[in-house]
Amino acid sequence: MAAQWWRRAVRGLCGAALFLSQLSVLSGRVGSLMTTKLSQPQSTLAKSLTSTSTNAPYFKALESTEIPPYVTNCPSNGLCSRLPPDCMTCNTNYSCIYGKTATFDCKVKPHVHCVDENNHEQENFTINMTCQFCWQLATSDYVCTNSTNCMTVSCPRQRYNATCTVRDHIHCLGNRVFPKMLYCNWTGGYKWSTALALSITLGGFGADRFYLGQWREGLGKLFSFGGLGIWTLIDVLLIGVGYVGPADGSLYI
């Protein structure tokens, strides 16, 4: 009886061990299936990322086709030689002789269209200009800022620091924006003819001084009846020669 019981116990243990081994094998298969299913979205995501990364040059190509801001200042289908300097790139020849005419090889920038004298579109062209720096140009070739803080009627004449910019169709060497010392030449809108007429007709009442903004001198002439006529005559001469001007220091117009 004891031997039979021992045999049954051994058979039960063997059956339990076989069941556990089968269970472990089955769980391993289920885990492999789960990992396979989970790895599929990741591979799909990787493929999508890879596909978007391959499209990056396409987006860059789209960005490169955008119109640059300088194109708005470049006239379309105009003469290439009349384009503003911002619309072209030129090979600057700094070895040219000062004051002499020099030829420069230029090329239009992207998205800029221009023509020659025969109305043929071209990209490469030449321009002729005088060999000189921008600050050496004539005063009519650049525009400068004005100052309303300096006196135009003074001895010696006052100067101010101005910032000058070369006009669009003028070509020169060096910086196109440069500082320059200029004489005070601004005006407040006072007319020399009006001041002289008031000085001759109503100068005894200080009308000329009031018109020029010199209130204290005007009151002095008013209450002294033009300095008994002497001050009136003197002001006629001073305004006539331009020595007495507006109180704000501006020029007559």
Side-chain angles (χ1 to χ4, degrees):
M1 292 296 292
Q4 293 179 355
W5 179 83
W6 177 253
R7 291 177 181 176
R8 291 179 182 177
V10 171
R11 291 178 181 177
L13 291 175
C14 292
L18 180 61
F19 175 77
L20 291 176
S21 62
Q22 292 178 353
L23 182 63
S24 62
V25 172
L26 181 62
S27 63
R29 291 180 179 179
V30 173
S32 62
L33 291 175
M34 291 296 293
T35 54
T36 304
K37 291 182 179 181
L38 289 176
S39 61
Q40 288 180 353
Q42 293 179 356
S43 61
T44 305
L45 179 61
K47 289 182 180 179
S48 64
L49 292 176
T50 306
S51 62
T52 54
S53 62
T54 56
N55 290 336
Y58 175 75
F59 289 110
K60 290 183 179 179
L62 289 178
E63 293 177 357
S64 63
T65 59
E66 293 181 356
I67 299 177
Y70 61 80
V71 177
T72 57
N73 299 325
C74 303
S76 180
N77 296 326
L79 289 177
C80 294
S81 58
R82 297 289 295 174
L83 285 175
D86 294 338
C87 306
M88 66 180 77
T89 55
C90 299
N91 297 326
T92 306
N93 181 15
Y94 287 98
S95 62
C96 59
I97 302 175
Y98 173 76
K100 301 293 183 180
T101 302
T103 302
F104 295 84
D105 296 326
C106 301
K107 181 180 180 180
V108 295
K109 291 184 177 181
H111 305 284
V112 178
H113 303 280
C114 63
V115 296
D116 57 7
E117 289 77 5
N118 298 324
N119 203 25
H120 296 156
E121 187 172 356
Q122 60 179 357
E123 294 183 359
N124 300 315
F125 57 96
T126 59
I127 59 173
N128 297 324
M129 72 176 188
T130 304
C131 182
Q132 60 183 351
F133 288 97
C134 295
W135 60 271
Q136 297 173 322
L137 293 172
T139 55
S140 59
D141 294 336
Y142 53 83
V143 180
C144 300
T145 57
N146 287 328
S147 175
T148 58
N149 297 325
C150 58
M151 300 291 291
T152 59
V153 182
S154 62
C155 186
R157 293 183 62 185
Q158 289 187 5
R159 293 173 178 257
Y160 69 98
N161 291 319
T163 301
C164 302
T165 304
V166 181
R167 298 185 184 274
D168 287 340
H169 303 301
I170 303 299
H171 300 277
C172 55
L173 302 178
N175 295 327
R176 299 184 61 83
V177 179
F178 54 91
K180 198 165 189 177
M181 291 290 294
L182 298 178
Y183 287 109
C184 297
N185 59 351
W186 66 284
T187 178
Y190 296 95
K191 293 184 177 180
W192 172 82
S193 59
T194 302
L196 182 61
L198 290 175
S199 181
I200 295 173
T201 57
L202 301 175
F205 301 100
D208 50 353
R209 294 283 183 165
F210 286 128
Y211 171 73
L212 295 175
Q214 302 175 5
W215 296 95
R216 289 178 296 181
E217 291 81 354
L219 292 174
K221 291 182 69 175
L222 176 62
F223 290 110
S224 65
F225 298 101
L228 300 178
I230 299 176
W231 195 349
T232 302
L233 294 176
I234 294 175
D235 273 355
V236 171
L237 295 176
L238 295 179
I239 294 176
V241 299
Y243 184 79
V244 174
D248 58 4
S250 62
L251 293 173
Y252 289 113
I253 57 175

